[in-house]
Amino acid sequence: EVAEASLFQARVLKDFLARLGFVGIFITENVLHAANFELEIDTMVAPAIAPLPREAAVCLHLVHIIFGFFGAAFVIVSGFDTAGRTAMTKGTSMMLVFMSTITWTWWINRQGTLYWDIDPYPFWDMRCSPDKRNRTVHILKNISIVGALTMLQQMAKYETAVSKAKPTFLEGLVTALRPWSFSATIAPQLVMLAVVRCKLGIHLPGYAATFMLVLSIMAIQSAANLVNSYVDFKRGIDTIANAGDRTLVDGLVTPTVLKALAGVSIVWWLAFYAWSVVATGFHHLVLSLAALGTFLAIGYTAGPAPLKYMGLGDLAVFISFGPGVVAYSCVVLVGALHWEVLLFTLPVALYVVATLHANNYRDIESDSRSGARTVAIILGARASLWYYDLLLMGAHVVALYAGYRSGCSGALASLAVLPQSLWLCARIRRTSTLRTQDEETAKSTMMFAVALGLGIVIMPGMESSRLGLAVCALVVAVLKVFAN
């Protein structure tokens, strides 16, 4: 079936120029934000969210830049592919987050002075100060942009709902990479960075090294995802009738493209791995843990003795996305491993394993036919549900224990995700929603890590803060809405 052209596909030069004119300013603005990152943190963002610590301002400004830049890029990309509605939906969502947060930090609470505290006069009063009038213009402008973005987003959603077209090549690439699963990589790194910087007070080497570390670990995870898709397809495990991964069974991309993507991802990771070994003076933990992680990631489904088919998949994922990758990252960034880092990232690793188990529980029948022996198959359907519950509830218990053991009240912020965890435990028992259970668990993994990490940033010691807990709960709520 030939995919029908999206309403958002650019057909003439005017269409492209209109997009560029609308979101080009966002790209330019966020390039400037990145270039003046430290200055803007100290003069704009930190005063706007006081009394929260500077590290919280760093996190927020990173959200500004990442969501603003990539949201604008997605809107432009929407004009070059028949999947324009998909790119438009995602891009406008990111830009709406950017507009909401930047309006507060730049205009409503500019440099720590609230809009309504400037003077007692409304903006239409002649006695109103020039500063208040200027802010009013920018706030109203941002409201109009939010309205336009919301209108475009709704149009894209309506078109998606009525379209019967087959997913396009661009959508196939996105499906192949499984971006929703990147929470397994990003989540432990967020908590590790929060512990190192705020709990232990160790300065990080810089944003560039940290970004490249996370992107490179995402690259090896992408390679593992792609290899898993290819092997399961070749072995007949993934079929049109039962596959949760639709990459190859629906013909979204060819096996050749899939292997090429895997090759590029592996080369990227190996290049960073080589640099990290040299940069750390051939540190034994860097050498051994990165090699072990690579073996576990690729060997999960590939090789003569795939770990997935030997009942070792959960253990492999726990090591790869828990103690193994966190210890490697910690040594690369700060030159040493700290027990607090391992302790606080253990609950995140349990959540990651729950994501894998949700996938394996869904695929019990197809995996059984192929001869696989996942933990879900070994336990059986009923015990697998209890195991899933134990992983999620265990993550919350271990997080609280880590906070108690290390004297950090910020761990209480993880309880903001407890309702989401309980919802997941109920959701996995419904056949109608089982197909996307792994994706929903992955999204919740990110919520859990953000809540725990932000809690550590705001409340690194024993003293708790109602404001800090409220902020963490608010961020979780926003992430829930955005994920939906």
Side-chain angles (χ1 to χ4, degrees), residues 227-238 248-249 255-256 259 309:
V227 169
N228 180 54
S229 297
Y230 179 77
V231 172
D232 282 356
F233 176 73
K234 283 295 184 181
R235 291 179 175 170
I237 298 173
D238 285 344
L248 293 174
V249 297
T256 301
K259 289 188 284 186
Y309 303 101

Side-chain angles (χ1 to χ4, degrees), residues 396 400 411-419 448 451:
H396 289 279
L400 294 177
L412 292 171
S414 64
L415 294 176
V417 191
L418 183 58
F448 181 83

Side-chain angles (χ1 to χ4, degrees), residues 22-23 26 63-64 66-75 78 84-101 145-146 148-157 478-484:
F22 180 54
V23 301
F26 288 92
V63 171
H64 288 163
I66 294 171
F67 276 54
F69 183 86
F70 283 100
F74 270 40
V75 171
S78 70
R85 50 187 168 264
T86 302
M88 183 65 77
T89 301
K90 302 302 181 185
T92 50
S93 294
M94 291 182 179
M95 292 176 69
L96 284 169
V97 173
F98 167 81
M99 291 303 303
S100 301
T101 56
I145 293 174
V146 167
L149 289 170
T150 303
M151 181 175 64
L152 288 172
Q153 184 183 70
Q154 291 302 107
M155 290 171 64
K157 288 181 178 179
V478 171
L479 286 175
K480 174 63 176 176
V481 172
F482 183 71
N484 290 338

Side-chain angles (χ1 to χ4, degrees), residues 185 189 192 209-210 212-218 220 268-280 283-294 319-338 341-342 345:
T185 293
Q189 300 298 317
M192 181 270 295
T210 304
M212 287 306 300
L213 169 69
V214 175
L215 288 175
S216 299
I217 297 174
M218 288 170 61
I220 189 59
W268 182 330
W269 159 248
L270 290 177
F272 183 85
Y273 176 31
W275 172 85
S276 67
V277 169
V278 175
T280 57
H283 196 287
H284 65 282
L285 285 179
V286 173
L287 275 167
S288 58
L289 291 176
L292 175 63
T294 304
I319 295 173
S320 297
F321 295 100
V325 71
V326 168
Y328 166 79
S329 301
C330 191
V331 174
V332 169
L333 291 179
V334 300
L337 177 61
H338 300 271
V341 170
L342 293 178
T345 51

Side-chain angles (χ1 to χ4, degrees), residues 171-349:
E171 291 174 300
L173 290 178
V174 174
T175 302
L177 292 172
R178 304 184 207 173
W180 54 265
S181 70
F182 289 153
S183 61
T185 293
I186 300 172
Q189 300 298 317
L190 288 177
V191 175
M192 181 270 295
L193 291 171
V195 173
V196 168
R197 182 66 190 92
C198 299
K199 178 62 182 170
L200 302 179
I202 301 173
H203 289 282
L204 298 171
Y207 300 111
T210 304
F211 273 127
M212 287 306 300
L213 169 69
V214 175
L215 288 175
S216 299
I217 297 174
M218 288 170 61
I220 189 59
Q221 184 191 353
S222 297
N225 289 342
L226 295 166
V227 169
N228 180 54
S229 297
Y230 179 77
V231 172
D232 282 356
F233 176 73
K234 283 295 184 181
R235 291 179 175 170
I237 298 173
D238 285 344
T239 64
I240 293 178
N242 61 27
D245 179 1
R246 312 302 299 180
T247 305
L248 293 174
V249 297
D250 288 343
L252 303 183
V253 298
T254 64
T256 301
V257 171
L258 202 73
K259 289 188 284 186
L261 285 172
V264 171
S265 299
I266 291 173
V267 169
W268 182 330
W269 159 248
L270 290 177
F272 183 85
Y273 176 31
W275 172 85
S276 67
V277 169
V278 175
T280 57
F282 294 84
H283 196 287
H284 65 282
L285 285 179
V286 173
L287 275 167
S288 58
L289 291 176
L292 175 63
T294 304
F295 165 75
L296 293 176
I298 304 300
Y300 177 73
T301 49
L307 299 171
K308 174 181 178 179
Y309 303 101
M310 300 170 61
L312 298 175
D314 288 32
L315 178 61
V317 167
F318 179 79
I319 295 173
S320 297
F321 295 100
V325 71
V326 168
Y328 166 79
S329 301
C330 191
V331 174
V332 169
L333 291 179
V334 300
L337 177 61
H338 300 271
W339 68 266
E340 294 93 342
V341 170
L342 293 178
L343 184 58
F344 272 104
T345 51
L346 285 179
V348 183

